[in-house]
Amino acid sequence: RKTAFLRYVTWQEESVLTEWCIGYFIANISQHLPKDKHVRMLEIGCGYGRNLKALQKLGFCNVRGIDISGEQVEYATRILGLNNVTVEDAIDCLADAKDTYDVILLLDVLEHLELDYSVKLIGLIKSGLKPGGVFIIQVPNGLAPLMPNRYGDITHLRAYTTHSMDQHLRLGGFTEIRNYELPPHVHGMTSLIRRILWAATIKPLIAVLMLVANGSVLGGIYTANMLTIARRE
């Protein structure tokens, strides 16, 4: 489980923080964060720190990141100048963290984990959140046409639908769950056109296909990635 990530920076092409990554985070995830910039936040599987840099830019000042890859943490520390990132396994980190965090992020991580480990992790995440705390997950969407993000990485074990995500989170003890699509991120004229075409043409056509083939729109989320927000009651 761990060895696949040990040199992830080296053999992943997207090893450099870009303004696109920060813009994407701000556009799609920041709206689900508390307004209080002093909330206690943990990102599990923070990689080389691009989301932590986005949070820093947004003004959050009590954020911590962990990752099992020493290479990625070293990159985050030396290249990005982050001092809030450590090498640590998530289950070890959360073992004694009951009612500790206001927000826990698990972005582009869950699809890499073995099922038994991930269910145990989700249970610890729920325990580690304060009452009312927010758990934010991003995963590849199994209903996206051709599932490009499911098969674009050899370390992916699965993709998710709204149904399987709800099922997975309920196994970990969550009951308040909402799923969101992640349409093309607008960062220029070309991406704006893609966004318009997606909303006006592509998404409705996929919905019709799902309805004809399955008798249901199957949750109505067809973007390459899916965002899920779960709350501890």
Side-chain angles (χ1 to χ4, degrees), residues 165-202:
M165 176 56 74
D166 289 356
Q167 183 183 37
H168 203 161
L169 289 175
R170 288 179 191 281
L171 286 172
F174 284 94
T175 57
E176 189 178 335
I177 304 162
R178 295 191 67 179
N179 300 298
Y180 300 86
E181 70 173 10
L182 290 165
H185 170 51
V186 177
H187 55 98
M189 183 56 66
T190 300
S191 57
L192 175 61
I193 293 171
R194 290 176 56 226
R195 179 72 165 261
I196 293 170
L197 288 173
W198 170 259
T201 305
I202 306 302

Side-chain angles (χ1 to χ4, degrees), residues 4-212:
F5 292 95
L6 293 181
R7 299 192 61 80
Y8 206 67
V9 169
T10 300
W11 50 259
Q12 265 284 65
E13 291 183 3
E14 296 182 7
S15 61
V16 194
L17 177 69
T18 66
E19 286 302 316
W20 186 96
C21 297
I22 294 175
Y24 175 90
F25 185 97
I26 292 172
N28 293 293
I29 297 169
S30 63
Q31 61 189 292
H32 301 288
L33 299 174
K35 296 187 182 300
D36 182 1
K37 303 298 184 180
H38 297 277
V39 294
R40 193 168 183 183
M41 199 177 308
L42 172 69
E43 182 180 11
I44 296 170
C46 66
Y48 56 86
R50 61 186 183 183
N51 298 321
L52 298 176
K53 290 294 284 188
L55 288 164
Q56 185 181 76
K57 185 171 183 176
L58 287 166
F60 288 94
C61 57
N62 194 9
V63 181
R64 178 187 179 203
I66 61 170
D67 201 278
I68 60 173
S69 169
E71 183 186 27
Q72 297 217 55
V73 169
E74 191 272 340
Y75 186 97
T77 303
R78 183 172 59 85
I79 304 299
L80 298 187
L82 296 169
N83 59 6
N84 56 345
V85 187
T86 56
V87 178
E88 194 168 356
D89 181 82
I91 285 180
D92 294 337
C93 173
L94 292 169
D96 299 312
K98 184 175 175 58
D99 300 335
T100 298
Y101 296 100
D102 299 284
V103 180
I104 294 179
L105 302 166
L106 193 69
L107 306 177
D108 305 313
V109 174
L110 196 58
E111 63 271 19
H112 298 272
L113 305 178
E114 297 288 350
L115 185 59
D116 289 347
Y117 178 92
S118 64
V119 170
K120 182 178 181 181
L121 175 61
I122 290 170
L124 287 171
I125 287 171
K126 183 177 182 241
S127 176
L129 286 170
K130 298 175 183 178
V134 181
F135 180 28
I136 302 177
I137 311 111
Q138 178 174 287
V139 291
N141 181 14
L143 291 182
L146 305 179
M147 294 189 288
N149 288 354
R150 163 66 175 90
Y151 297 108
D153 189 325
I154 60 172
T155 67
H156 286 179
L157 300 179
R158 70 185 67 82
Y160 285 85
T161 65
T162 57
H163 177 75
S164 63
M165 176 56 74
D166 289 356
Q167 183 183 37
H168 203 161
L169 289 175
R170 288 179 191 281
L171 286 172
F174 284 94
T175 57
E176 189 178 335
I177 304 162
R178 295 191 67 179
N179 300 298
Y180 300 86
E181 70 173 10
L182 290 165
H185 170 51
V186 177
H187 55 98
M189 183 56 66
T190 300
S191 57
L192 175 61
I193 293 171
R194 290 176 56 226
R195 179 72 165 261
I196 293 170
L197 288 173
W198 170 259
T201 305
I202 306 302
K203 181 181 176 180
L205 287 174
I206 298 171
V208 170
L209 173 62
M210 293 295 174
L211 189 60
V212 171

